[in-house]
Amino acid sequence: MMLYAISGTDAPDSLNGRKLARTSHLNRVAALRDAGRLVLAGPHPAIDSTEPGECGYTGSLIVAEFPSLDEATAWARADPYMAAGVWCEVTVKPFTQVAP
């Protein structure tokens, strides 16, 4: 297993779609957590605030273990945020954690 950084970029005006797909998205992330494979996950607020309200988000970052780059990429492309058009782009890269 290796770590991969999954970076999803939100499409313009995708806040409503994000709200609608959020539960399904978080369930998939929780499955990684429950399997002991999740390092971190969360959104990028569009403004300098933990609660951006209607300003929304610019994307999300997930760092998790997968058997291969292909499997991490397939997992990311199957995310509900992709299906709902929230993420207009997703990038998956190998990641080496040096701290903590």
Side-chain angles (χ1 to χ4, degrees):
M1 293 279 240
M2 182 163 176
L3 291 177
Y4 294 90
I6 298 168
S7 182
T9 301
D10 281 20
D13 301 316
S14 60
L15 183 58
N16 190 51
R18 179 180 269 274
K19 290 175 183 176
L20 293 172
R22 185 171 191 263
T23 298
S24 297
H25 166 76
L26 291 179
N27 286 342
R28 291 182 86 236
V29 173
L32 290 174
R33 180 201 62 218
D34 294 347
R37 296 170 45 197
L38 181 66
V39 174
L40 63 88
H44 298 288
I47 60 173
D48 190 12
S49 173
T50 58
E51 297 294 331
E54 291 305 309
C55 291
Y57 301 89
T58 61
S60 304
L61 174 65
I62 299 165
V63 178
E65 286 184 327
F66 289 90
S68 68
L69 177 59
D70 287 342
E71 289 188 45
T73 300
W75 186 94
R77 289 185 178 156
D79 193 272
Y81 281 174
M82 285 296 291
V86 174
W87 289 346
C88 60
E89 179 182 8
V90 68
T91 303
V92 182
K93 296 180 180 181
F95 180 81
T96 301
Q97 184 176 2
V98 296

